Amino acid sequence: MAQQSIQTQQPAPEAAPELIGARNLTVGYGSFTLMRDVSFSVRRGDIFFIMGGSGCGKSTLLRVLMGLKEPSSGTVTFRGSPFWPGSLEDRYRARRQTGVLFQQGALWSSMTLAENVALPLEQYTSLPPEEIRSQALLKLALTGLAGFEDYYPSEISGGMRKRAGLARALALDPAVLFLDEPSAGLDPVSSKLLDDLIVELRDSLGTTFVIVSHELASIFAIASTCIFLDNVSRSMTACGNPHTLLRTPGTDPATMRFLTRGESDAAAARN
């Protein structure tokens, strides 16, 4: 079984509680529907990937889960409580338990790494400055950036900026981290180091990850569960562990083409 051969991608146990529940979501802009009838669960300890081709709505779905875009219909719950539909206060309470890593890290260029990480603590806690500084240094150390606290974003590499963005996302000890194309623009070695860091944070802190990506190397290396959004049918056509989907007869053809980079079609043509 695939789960036995790759230790870093053990799926979360079935008994793990549901953190995010999406039911019959339809998402779009005005009269244009991006996706319809999307349903899935993200459980505690998952490294959950949203995958699909360009324009399928991956980042838009992430915005829905983050509370930044309202779905056209359907429901989203966070720890069993209303999120969509729900009050602004419902979403505010849930969002205080989440962190976000944007595609480019979105660090403030005029602030040091420590100051960037300290910013959420200054805004949302009443901790004294020395404790805020201590917490910022701890989060940077957790992401492999000990010793770089007083560097500015322009003084470090792209991979280090991604890790600094991850440290800032961890500042308030969130239960869930949302990552939008975290490996975009990284070389293969830096991408692998980021994957390893995600697994380490999941294992050491119990953090749950929801990741938008089309990077197959990362998906196969660390995903416990994934969904596939198909931009032709405008729907979710697969859900499960990527290794299991790859080996399961009857897996949706579009999903199989994505997971095999189109090699499944080429093999069928040769046969």
Side-chain angles (χ1 to χ4, degrees):
M1 298 292 291
Q3 292 90 338
Q4 294 174 333
S5 62
I6 301 182
Q7 295 182 359
T8 60
Q9 58 186 39
Q10 294 286 348
E14 284 301 315
E18 180 184 79
L19 288 185
I20 300 172
R23 304 290 181 268
N24 305 314
L25 287 182
T26 295
V27 179
Y29 295 93
S31 61
F32 178 75
T33 298
L34 261 177
M35 67 197 82
R36 58 175 69 86
D37 298 327
V38 175
S39 298
F40 57 85
S41 293
V42 179
R43 297 187 176 277
R44 189 176 67 191
D46 263 342
I47 299 178
F48 184 96
F49 274 76
I50 302 171
M51 60 183 191
S54 299
C56 68
K58 301 187 298 294
S59 293
T60 300
L61 178 57
L62 193 70
R63 288 170 59 82
V64 170
L65 300 180
M66 291 163 53
L68 300 178
K69 178 173 175 55
E70 185 175 5
S72 302
S73 62
T75 64
V76 178
T77 57
F78 186 87
R79 285 184 161 162
S81 297
F83 192 80
W84 293 117
S87 68
L88 185 60
E89 181 62 27
D90 291 330
R91 288 188 291 281
Y92 179 76
R93 282 195 300 267
R95 286 160 62 179
R96 284 293 303 272
Q97 303 174 61
T98 67
V100 183
L101 172 61
F102 297 99
Q103 282 193 31
Q104 305 302 323
L107 298 173
W108 293 97
S109 60
S110 60
M111 294 182 173
T112 65
L113 301 190
E115 290 169 341
N116 267 280
V117 177
L119 190 59
L121 294 164
E122 293 169 350
Q123 290 183 320
Y124 296 109
T125 75
S126 57
L127 294 173
E130 60 273 15
E131 179 61 21
I132 288 177
R133 170 79 177 180
S134 176
Q135 286 295 315
L137 299 191
L138 172 62
K139 295 307 191 293
L140 286 166
L142 282 173
T143 55
L145 291 172
F148 291 90
E149 299 89 355
D150 297 319
Y151 282 62
Y152 288 89
S154 62
E155 298 175 322
I156 59 177
S157 69
M160 294 171 74
R161 285 194 291 272
K162 286 290 180 75
R163 283 187 277 148
L166 189 55
R168 186 179 60 187
L170 286 166
L172 296 174
D173 298 318
V176 181
L177 276 179
F178 296 108
L179 279 56
D180 190 3
E181 299 283 6
S183 299
L186 298 184
D187 63 84
V189 174
S190 297
S191 181
K192 172 66 165 57
L193 290 173
L194 185 59
D195 287 346
D196 292 343
L197 176 59
I198 290 169
V199 173
E200 183 179 344
L201 292 172
R202 189 273 310 272
D203 293 344
S204 61
L205 302 180
T207 309
T208 300
F209 289 85
V210 178
I211 305 173
V212 163
S213 181
H214 60 268
E215 298 289 342
L216 286 180
S218 296
I219 291 168
F220 280 116
I222 67 173
S224 58
T225 308
C226 61
I227 60 172
F228 182 79
L229 301 180
D230 178 35
N231 56 8
V232 175
S233 65
R234 298 181 186 173
S235 64
M236 186 186 88
T237 56
C239 179
N241 179 276
H243 289 267
T244 303
L245 292 173
L246 191 62
R247 299 181 181 184
T248 301
T251 293
D252 169 69
T255 306
M256 189 64 75
R257 283 194 296 272
F258 180 88
L259 293 174
T260 63
R261 300 183 185 272
E263 293 177 6
S264 58
D265 286 350
R270 287 194 299 268
N271 294 331

Coordinates of all heavy atoms in Angstrom, one line a residue, residues 65-154:
L65 N -12.8 29.3 1.8 CA -12.5 28.7 3.0 C -11.8 29.7 4.0 O -12.0 29.5 5.2 CB -11.5 27.5 2.8 CG -12.0 26.4 1.9 CD1 -11.0 25.3 1.7 CD2 -13.3 25.8 2.4
M66 N -11.2 30.7 3.5 CA -10.6 31.7 4.4 C -11.6 32.8 4.8 O -11.2 33.6 5.7 CB -9.4 32.4 3.6 CG -8.2 31.5 3.4 SD -7.1 32.1 2.2 CE -6.7 33.8 2.8
G67 N -12.8 32.8 4.2 CA -13.8 33.8 4.6 C -13.7 35.0 3.9 O -14.3 36.0 4.2
L68 N -12.9 35.0 2.7 CA -12.8 36.3 1.9 C -13.8 36.3 0.8 O -13.9 37.4 0.2 CB -11.3 36.3 1.4 CG -10.2 36.4 2.5 CD1 -8.9 36.4 1.8 CD2 -10.4 37.6 3.4
K69 N -14.4 35.2 0.4 CA -15.4 35.2 -0.7 C -16.6 34.4 -0.3 O -16.4 33.2 0.1 CB -14.7 34.8 -2.0 CG -15.8 34.7 -3.1 CD -15.1 34.4 -4.5 CE -16.2 34.2 -5.5 NZ -17.1 35.4 -5.6
E70 N -17.7 34.9 -0.5 CA -19.0 34.1 -0.1 C -19.3 33.2 -1.3 O -19.3 33.6 -2.4 CB -20.1 35.1 0.2 CG -21.4 34.4 0.6 CD -22.5 35.3 1.0 OE1 -22.3 36.6 0.9 OE2 -23.5 34.9 1.5
P71 N -19.6 31.9 -1.0 CA -20.1 31.0 -2.1 C -21.5 31.4 -2.6 O -22.2 32.0 -1.8 CB -20.1 29.7 -1.4 CG -20.3 29.9 0.0 CD -19.6 31.2 0.3
S72 N -21.8 31.0 -3.8 CA -23.1 31.3 -4.4 C -24.1 30.5 -3.6 O -25.3 30.9 -3.4 CB -23.1 31.0 -5.9 OG -22.2 31.7 -6.6
S73 N -23.8 29.3 -3.2 CA -24.7 28.4 -2.4 C -23.8 27.4 -1.7 O -22.7 27.2 -2.0 CB -25.7 27.8 -3.3 OG -25.1 26.9 -4.3
G74 N -24.5 26.6 -0.8 CA -23.8 25.6 -0.1 C -23.3 26.1 1.3 O -23.6 27.3 1.6
T75 N -22.7 25.3 2.1 CA -22.3 25.7 3.4 C -20.9 25.3 3.7 O -20.3 24.4 3.1 CB -23.2 24.9 4.5 OG1 -23.0 23.5 4.4 CG2 -24.7 25.2 4.3
V76 N -20.3 26.1 4.6 CA -18.9 25.8 5.1 C -19.0 25.9 6.7 O -19.6 26.8 7.2 CB -17.9 26.7 4.6 CG1 -16.5 26.4 5.2 CG2 -17.7 26.7 3.1
T77 N -18.5 24.9 7.3 CA -18.4 24.9 8.8 C -17.0 24.9 9.3 O -16.1 24.4 8.6 CB -19.2 23.8 9.5 OG1 -18.7 22.5 9.0 CG2 -20.7 23.8 9.1
F78 N -16.7 25.5 10.4 CA -15.4 25.4 11.0 C -15.6 24.9 12.4 O -16.2 25.5 13.2 CB -14.7 26.8 11.0 CG -13.3 26.8 11.5 CD1 -12.3 26.6 10.7 CD2 -13.0 27.0 12.9 CE1 -11.0 26.6 11.1 CE2 -11.7 27.0 13.3 CZ -10.7 26.8 12.4
R79 N -15.0 23.7 12.7 CA -15.1 23.0 14.0 C -16.6 22.9 14.3 O -17.0 23.0 15.5 CB -14.4 23.7 15.1 CG -12.9 23.5 15.0 CD -12.1 24.1 16.1 NE -10.8 23.5 16.2 CZ -9.8 24.0 16.9 NH1 -9.9 25.2 17.5 NH2 -8.6 23.4 16.9
G80 N -17.4 22.6 13.3 CA -18.8 22.3 13.5 C -19.7 23.6 13.6 O -20.9 23.5 13.7
S81 N -19.1 24.8 13.6 CA -19.9 26.0 13.8 C -20.1 26.7 12.4 O -19.2 26.5 11.5 CB -19.1 27.0 14.7 OG -19.0 26.4 16.0
P82 N -21.1 27.5 12.3 CA -21.4 28.1 11.0 C -20.2 29.0 10.5 O -19.6 29.7 11.3 CB -22.7 28.9 11.2 CG -23.3 28.3 12.4 CD -22.1 27.8 13.3
F83 N -20.0 29.0 9.2 CA -18.9 29.9 8.6 C -19.6 30.6 7.4 O -19.7 31.8 7.4 CB -17.7 29.0 8.2 CG -16.5 29.8 7.9 CD1 -15.7 30.4 8.9 CD2 -16.2 30.0 6.6 CE1 -14.6 31.2 8.5 CE2 -15.1 30.8 6.2 CZ -14.3 31.4 7.2
W84 N -20.0 29.8 6.4 CA -20.9 30.3 5.3 C -22.1 29.3 5.3 O -21.9 28.1 5.1 CB -20.1 30.2 4.0 CG -19.0 31.1 3.8 CD1 -17.7 30.7 3.5 CD2 -19.0 32.5 3.7 NE1 -16.9 31.8 3.3 CE2 -17.7 32.9 3.4 CE3 -20.0 33.5 3.8 CZ2 -17.3 34.3 3.3 CZ3 -19.6 34.8 3.6 CH2 -18.3 35.2 3.4
P85 N -23.3 29.8 5.4 CA -23.6 31.2 5.8 C -23.4 31.3 7.3 O -23.4 30.3 8.0 CB -25.1 31.3 5.5 CG -25.6 29.9 5.5 CD -24.5 29.0 5.1
G86 N -23.2 32.5 7.7 CA -22.9 32.7 9.1 C -22.7 34.2 9.3 O -22.6 35.0 8.3
S87 N -22.5 34.7 10.5 CA -22.3 36.1 10.8 C -20.9 36.4 10.6 O -20.0 35.6 10.6 CB -22.8 36.4 12.2 OG -21.9 35.8 13.1
L88 N -20.6 37.7 10.5 CA -19.2 38.2 10.4 C -18.5 37.8 11.6 O -17.3 37.5 11.6 CB -19.2 39.7 10.2 CG -17.9 40.4 10.0 CD1 -17.2 39.8 8.7 CD2 -18.0 41.9 9.9
E89 N -19.1 37.8 12.8 CA -18.5 37.4 14.0 C -18.1 35.9 14.0 O -17.0 35.5 14.5 CB -19.4 37.7 15.2 CG -18.8 37.4 16.6 CD -17.6 38.1 16.9 OE1 -17.4 39.3 16.4 OE2 -16.7 37.6 17.7
D90 N -19.0 35.1 13.4 CA -18.7 33.7 13.3 C -17.3 33.5 12.5 O -16.5 32.7 12.9 CB -19.8 32.9 12.5 CG -21.0 32.8 13.3 OD1 -21.0 32.8 14.6 OD2 -22.1 32.8 12.7
R91 N -17.2 34.2 11.4 CA -16.1 34.1 10.5 C -14.8 34.7 11.2 O -13.7 34.2 11.1 CB -16.3 34.7 9.2 CG -17.2 33.9 8.3 CD -17.3 34.4 6.9 NE -18.0 35.7 6.8 CZ -19.4 35.9 6.9 NH1 -20.1 34.8 7.0 NH2 -19.9 37.1 6.8
Y92 N -15.0 35.8 12.0 CA -13.9 36.4 12.7 C -13.3 35.4 13.7 O -12.1 35.3 13.8 CB -14.4 37.7 13.3 CG -13.3 38.4 14.1 CD1 -12.3 39.1 13.4 CD2 -13.2 38.3 15.5 CE1 -11.3 39.7 14.1 CE2 -12.2 39.0 16.2 CZ -11.3 39.7 15.5 OH -10.3 40.3 16.2
R93 N -14.2 34.8 14.4 CA -13.7 33.8 15.4 C -12.9 32.7 14.8 O -11.9 32.3 15.3 CB -14.9 33.2 16.2 CG -15.5 34.1 17.3 CD -16.3 33.4 18.3 NE -17.5 32.8 17.6 CZ -18.7 33.3 17.5 NH1 -18.9 34.5 18.0 NH2 -19.6 32.7 16.8
A94 N -13.5 32.2 13.7 CA -12.8 31.1 13.0 C -11.4 31.6 12.4 O -10.4 30.9 12.5 CB -13.7 30.5 11.8
R95 N -11.4 32.7 11.8 CA -10.2 33.2 11.2 C -9.1 33.5 12.2 O -7.9 33.5 11.9 CB -10.5 34.5 10.4 CG -11.2 34.1 9.1 CD -12.0 35.3 8.5 NE -11.1 36.4 8.1 CZ -11.6 37.5 7.5 NH1 -12.9 37.6 7.3 NH2 -10.7 38.4 7.1
R96 N -9.4 33.8 13.4 CA -8.4 34.0 14.5 C -7.7 32.6 14.7 O -6.6 32.7 15.4 CB -9.1 34.5 15.8 CG -9.4 35.9 15.7 CD -8.2 36.8 15.7 NE -7.3 36.6 16.8 CZ -7.4 37.2 18.0 NH1 -8.4 38.1 18.2 NH2 -6.5 36.9 18.9
Q97 N -8.2 31.5 14.3 CA -7.6 30.2 14.5 C -6.9 29.7 13.2 O -6.5 28.6 13.1 CB -8.6 29.2 14.9 CG -9.4 29.6 16.2 CD -10.5 28.6 16.5 OE1 -10.3 27.4 16.7 NE2 -11.7 29.1 16.5
T98 N -6.7 30.6 12.3 CA -6.1 30.2 11.0 C -4.9 31.2 10.7 O -4.8 32.3 11.2 CB -7.1 30.2 9.8 OG1 -7.5 31.6 9.6 CG2 -8.3 29.4 10.1
G99 N -4.0 30.7 9.8 CA -2.9 31.5 9.3 C -2.9 31.4 7.8 O -3.4 30.4 7.3
V100 N -2.2 32.3 7.1 CA -2.2 32.3 5.7 C -0.7 32.6 5.2 O -0.1 33.5 5.7 CB -3.1 33.4 5.1 CG1 -3.1 33.3 3.5 CG2 -4.5 33.2 5.6
L101 N -0.3 31.8 4.2 CA 0.9 32.0 3.5 C 0.5 32.3 2.1 O 0.0 31.5 1.3 CB 1.9 30.8 3.5 CG 3.1 31.0 2.6 CD1 4.0 32.2 3.1 CD2 4.0 29.7 2.7
F102 N 0.7 33.6 1.6 CA 0.4 34.0 0.3 C 1.5 33.5 -0.7 O 2.6 33.2 -0.3 CB 0.2 35.5 0.2 CG -1.0 35.9 1.0 CD1 -0.8 36.5 2.3 CD2 -2.3 35.8 0.5 CE1 -1.9 36.9 3.0 CE2 -3.4 36.2 1.3 CZ -3.2 36.8 2.5
Q103 N 1.2 33.6 -2.0 CA 2.1 33.1 -3.0 C 3.5 33.6 -2.9 O 4.5 32.9 -3.0 CB 1.5 33.3 -4.4 CG 0.4 32.4 -4.8 CD 0.1 32.4 -6.3 OE1 1.0 32.7 -7.1 NE2 -1.1 32.2 -6.7
Q104 N 3.6 34.9 -2.8 CA 5.0 35.6 -2.8 C 5.4 35.9 -1.3 O 6.4 36.6 -1.2 CB 4.9 36.9 -3.6 CG 4.4 36.7 -5.0 CD 5.3 35.7 -5.8 OE1 6.5 35.7 -5.6 NE2 4.6 34.9 -6.6
G105 N 4.8 35.3 -0.3 CA 5.2 35.6 1.0 C 4.6 36.8 1.6 O 4.2 36.8 2.8
A106 N 4.4 37.9 0.8 CA 3.7 39.1 1.2 C 4.3 39.7 2.5 O 3.6 40.2 3.3 CB 2.2 38.8 1.4
L107 N 5.7 39.7 2.5 CA 6.3 40.3 3.7 C 6.4 41.8 3.4 O 6.5 42.3 2.3 CB 7.7 39.7 3.8 CG 7.8 38.2 4.1 CD1 9.3 37.8 4.1 CD2 7.2 37.9 5.5
W108 N 6.4 42.6 4.5 CA 6.6 44.0 4.4 C 8.1 44.3 4.2 O 9.0 43.9 5.1 CB 6.2 44.7 5.7 CG 4.7 44.7 5.9 CD1 4.0 43.8 6.7 CD2 3.7 45.5 5.3 NE1 2.6 44.0 6.6 CE2 2.4 45.1 5.7 CE3 3.8 46.6 4.4 CZ2 1.3 45.7 5.3 CZ3 2.6 47.2 4.1 CH2 1.4 46.8 4.5
S109 N 8.5 44.9 3.1 CA 9.9 45.1 2.7 C 10.6 46.0 3.7 O 11.9 45.9 3.8 CB 10.0 45.6 1.3 OG 9.4 46.8 1.1
S110 N 9.9 46.9 4.3 CA 10.6 47.9 5.2 C 10.8 47.3 6.6 O 11.3 48.1 7.5 CB 9.8 49.2 5.3 OG 8.4 48.9 5.8
M111 N 10.3 46.1 6.9 CA 10.4 45.5 8.2 C 11.4 44.3 8.2 O 11.5 43.6 7.1 CB 9.1 45.0 8.7 CG 8.0 46.1 9.0 SD 6.5 45.3 9.6 CE 5.6 46.8 10.0
T112 N 12.1 44.1 9.3 CA 12.9 42.9 9.4 C 12.1 41.7 9.5 O 10.8 41.8 9.7 CB 13.8 43.0 10.6 OG1 13.0 43.0 11.8 CG2 14.7 44.3 10.6
L113 N 12.7 40.5 9.4 CA 11.9 39.3 9.5 C 11.2 39.2 10.8 O 10.0 38.9 11.0 CB 12.8 38.1 9.3 CG 13.5 38.0 7.9 CD1 14.1 36.6 7.8 CD2 12.6 38.3 6.8
A114 N 11.9 39.6 11.9 CA 11.4 39.5 13.2 C 10.2 40.5 13.4 O 9.2 40.2 14.0 CB 12.4 39.8 14.3
E115 N 10.3 41.7 12.8 CA 9.2 42.7 12.8 C 8.0 42.2 12.0 O 6.9 42.4 12.4 CB 9.7 44.0 12.3 CG 10.7 44.7 13.2 CD 11.4 45.9 12.6 OE1 11.4 46.0 11.3 OE2 12.0 46.7 13.3
N116 N 8.3 41.5 10.9 CA 7.1 41.0 10.1 C 6.4 39.9 10.9 O 5.1 39.9 11.0 CB 7.7 40.3 8.8 CG 7.7 41.3 7.7 OD1 6.6 41.5 7.0 ND2 8.8 41.8 7.4
V117 N 7.1 39.0 11.6 CA 6.4 38.0 12.4 C 5.8 38.6 13.6 O 4.7 38.1 14.0 CB 7.5 36.9 12.8 CG1 6.8 35.8 13.6 CG2 8.1 36.3 11.5
A118 N 6.3 39.6 14.2 CA 5.8 40.2 15.4 C 4.5 41.0 15.1 O 3.7 41.2 16.0 CB 6.8 41.2 16.0
L119 N 4.3 41.4 13.9 CA 3.1 42.3 13.5 C 1.8 41.7 14.0 O 1.0 42.4 14.6 CB 3.1 42.6 12.1 CG 2.1 43.7 11.6 CD1 2.4 45.0 12.3 CD2 2.2 43.9 10.1
P120 N 1.4 40.4 13.7 CA 0.1 39.9 14.1 C 0.0 39.8 15.6 O -1.0 40.1 16.2 CB 0.1 38.5 13.5 CG 1.1 38.5 12.4 CD 2.2 39.4 12.8
L121 N 1.2 39.6 16.3 CA 1.1 39.6 17.8 C 0.9 40.9 18.4 O 0.2 41.1 19.4 CB 2.5 39.0 18.3 CG 2.7 37.5 18.0 CD1 4.2 37.2 18.1 CD2 1.9 36.6 18.8
E122 N 1.4 42.0 17.7 CA 1.2 43.3 18.2 C -0.2 43.8 17.9 O -0.8 44.5 18.8 CB 2.1 44.3 17.4 CG 3.6 44.1 17.7 CD 4.5 44.9 16.8 OE1 4.1 45.4 15.8 OE2 5.7 44.9 17.1
Q123 N -0.8 43.3 16.9 CA -2.2 43.7 16.5 C -3.3 42.9 17.3 O -4.3 43.5 17.6 CB -2.5 43.5 15.0 CG -1.7 44.4 14.1 CD -2.0 44.2 12.7 OE1 -2.2 43.1 12.2 NE2 -2.1 45.3 11.9
Y124 N -3.0 41.6 17.6 CA -4.1 40.8 18.2 C -3.8 40.3 19.6 O -4.6 39.5 20.1 CB -4.3 39.6 17.2 CG -4.8 40.1 15.9 CD1 -4.0 40.0 14.8 CD2 -6.1 40.6 15.7 CE1 -4.5 40.4 13.5 CE2 -6.6 41.0 14.5 CZ -5.7 40.9 13.4 OH -6.2 41.3 12.1
T125 N -2.7 40.6 20.2 CA -2.5 40.2 21.6 C -2.1 41.4 22.4 O -1.8 42.5 21.9 CB -1.3 39.2 21.7 OG1 -0.1 39.8 21.5 CG2 -1.5 38.1 20.6
S126 N -2.1 41.2 23.7 CA -1.7 42.3 24.7 C -0.3 41.9 25.3 O 0.0 42.4 26.4 CB -2.7 42.5 25.8 OG -2.9 41.2 26.4
L127 N 0.5 41.1 24.6 CA 1.8 40.7 25.1 C 2.7 41.9 25.2 O 2.7 42.8 24.3 CB 2.4 39.6 24.2 CG 1.7 38.2 24.2 CD1 2.3 37.3 23.2 CD2 1.8 37.6 25.6
P128 N 3.6 41.9 26.2 CA 4.6 43.0 26.2 C 5.6 42.8 25.1 O 5.8 41.7 24.5 CB 5.3 42.8 27.6 CG 5.1 41.3 27.9 CD 3.7 41.0 27.3
P129 N 6.3 43.9 24.7 CA 7.2 43.9 23.6 C 8.3 42.8 23.7 O 8.6 42.2 22.7 CB 7.8 45.3 23.6 CG 6.8 46.1 24.2 CD 6.2 45.3 25.3
E130 N 8.8 42.6 24.8 CA 9.9 41.6 25.0 C 9.4 40.2 24.7 O 10.0 39.3 24.1 CB 10.6 41.6 26.3 CG 9.7 41.4 27.5 CD 9.0 42.7 28.0 OE1 9.0 43.7 27.3 OE2 8.5 42.7 29.2
E131 N 8.1 39.9 25.1 CA 7.5 38.6 24.9 C 7.2 38.4 23.4 O 7.3 37.3 22.8 CB 6.3 38.4 25.7 CG 5.6 37.0 25.5 CD 6.4 35.8 25.9 OE1 7.4 36.0 26.6 OE2 6.1 34.7 25.4
I132 N 6.7 39.5 22.8 CA 6.4 39.5 21.3 C 7.7 39.2 20.5 O 7.7 38.3 19.6 CB 5.8 40.8 20.9 CG1 4.4 40.9 21.4 CG2 5.8 40.9 19.3 CD1 3.7 42.2 21.1
R133 N 8.8 39.8 20.9 CA 10.1 39.6 20.3 C 10.5 38.1 20.5 O 10.9 37.5 19.5 CB 11.1 40.5 20.8 CG 12.6 40.2 20.5 CD 12.9 40.7 19.1 NE 14.3 40.4 18.8 CZ 14.9 40.8 17.6 NH1 14.2 41.4 16.7 NH2 16.2 40.5 17.4
S134 N 10.3 37.6 21.7 CA 10.7 36.2 21.9 C 9.9 35.2 21.1 O 10.4 34.3 20.6 CB 10.5 35.9 23.4 OG 10.7 34.6 23.7
Q135 N 8.6 35.5 21.0 CA 7.7 34.6 20.2 C 8.1 34.7 18.7 O 8.0 33.7 18.0 CB 6.2 35.0 20.4 CG 5.6 34.6 21.7 CD 5.6 33.1 21.9 OE1 5.2 32.4 21.0 NE2 6.0 32.6 23.0
A136 N 8.4 35.9 18.2 CA 8.8 36.0 16.8 C 10.1 35.2 16.5 O 10.2 34.6 15.5 CB 9.0 37.5 16.5
L137 N 11.0 35.3 17.4 CA 12.3 34.6 17.2 C 12.0 33.1 17.3 O 12.7 32.3 16.5 CB 13.3 35.0 18.3 CG 13.7 36.4 18.4 CD1 14.9 36.6 19.3 CD2 14.1 37.0 17.0
L138 N 11.1 32.6 18.1 CA 10.8 31.2 18.2 C 10.2 30.7 16.9 O 10.6 29.7 16.4 CB 9.8 31.0 19.4 CG 9.2 29.6 19.5 CD1 10.3 28.5 19.7 CD2 8.2 29.5 20.6
K139 N 9.2 31.5 16.3 CA 8.6 31.1 15.1 C 9.6 31.1 13.9 O 9.6 30.2 13.1 CB 7.4 32.0 14.8 CG 6.3 31.9 15.8 CD 5.8 30.5 16.0 CE 4.5 30.5 16.8 NZ 4.7 30.9 18.2
L140 N 10.5 32.0 13.9 CA 11.6 32.0 12.9 C 12.5 30.8 13.1 O 12.9 30.2 12.1 CB 12.4 33.3 12.9 CG 11.6 34.5 12.4 CD1 12.3 35.8 12.8 CD2 11.5 34.5 10.9
A141 N 12.8 30.5 14.3 CA 13.6 29.3 14.6 C 12.9 28.0 14.1 O 13.5 27.1 13.5 CB 14.0 29.2 16.0
L142 N 11.6 27.9 14.3 CA 10.8 26.8 13.9 C 10.9 26.6 12.4 O 10.8 25.4 11.9 CB 9.4 26.9 14.4 CG 9.1 26.6 15.8 CD1 7.6 27.0 16.1 CD2 9.3 25.2 16.2
T143 N 11.0 27.6 11.7 CA 11.0 27.6 10.2 C 12.4 27.6 9.6 O 12.6 27.9 8.5 CB 10.2 28.7 9.6 OG1 10.6 29.9 10.1 CG2 8.7 28.5 10.0
G144 N 13.4 27.4 10.5 CA 14.8 27.3 10.1 C 15.5 28.6 9.8 O 16.5 28.7 9.0
L145 N 15.0 29.7 10.4 CA 15.6 31.0 10.2 C 16.2 31.7 11.4 O 16.3 32.9 11.5 CB 14.5 31.9 9.6 CG 14.0 31.6 8.2 CD1 12.8 32.4 7.8 CD2 15.1 31.8 7.2
A146 N 16.6 30.8 12.3 CA 17.4 31.4 13.5 C 18.6 32.1 13.0 O 19.4 31.5 12.2 CB 17.7 30.2 14.5
G147 N 18.9 33.2 13.5 CA 20.0 34.0 13.1 C 19.8 35.0 12.0 O 20.6 35.8 11.7
F148 N 18.5 34.9 11.4 CA 18.2 35.9 10.3 C 17.1 36.9 10.8 O 16.5 37.5 10.0 CB 17.7 35.1 9.1 CG 18.7 34.3 8.4 CD1 19.0 33.0 8.8 CD2 19.5 34.9 7.4 CE1 20.0 32.3 8.1 CE2 20.5 34.2 6.7 CZ 20.8 32.9 7.1
E149 N 16.9 37.0 12.1 CA 15.8 37.8 12.6 C 15.9 39.2 12.2 O 14.8 39.9 11.9 CB 15.9 37.8 14.2 CG 15.7 36.4 14.8 CD 17.0 35.6 14.9 OE1 18.1 36.2 14.5 OE2 17.1 34.5 15.5
D150 N 17.1 39.8 12.0 CA 17.2 41.2 11.7 C 17.5 41.5 10.3 O 17.9 42.6 9.9 CB 18.2 41.9 12.7 CG 17.8 41.8 14.1 OD1 16.6 42.0 14.4 OD2 18.6 41.5 15.0
Y151 N 17.4 40.5 9.4 CA 17.5 40.7 8.0 C 16.2 41.2 7.4 O 15.1 41.0 7.9 CB 17.9 39.4 7.3 CG 19.3 38.9 7.4 CD1 19.9 38.6 8.7 CD2 20.1 38.8 6.3 CE1 21.2 38.2 8.8 CE2 21.4 38.4 6.4 CZ 22.0 38.1 7.7 OH 23.3 37.7 7.8
Y152 N 16.4 41.9 6.3 CA 15.2 42.4 5.6 C 14.9 41.4 4.5 O 15.8 40.7 4.0 CB 15.5 43.8 5.0 CG 15.5 44.9 6.1 CD1 16.7 45.2 6.7 CD2 14.3 45.6 6.4 CE1 16.7 46.2 7.7 CE2 14.3 46.5 7.4 CZ 15.5 46.8 8.0 OH 15.5 47.8 9.0
P153 N 13.6 41.4 4.0 CA 13.3 40.4 2.9 C 14.1 40.5 1.7 O 14.4 39.5 1.1 CB 11.8 40.8 2.6 CG 11.3 41.4 3.9 CD 12.4 42.1 4.5
S154 N 14.6 41.7 1.4 CA 15.5 41.8 0.2 C 16.8 41.2 0.3 O 17.6 41.0 -0.6 CB 15.6 43.3 -0.2 OG 16.2 44.0 0.8

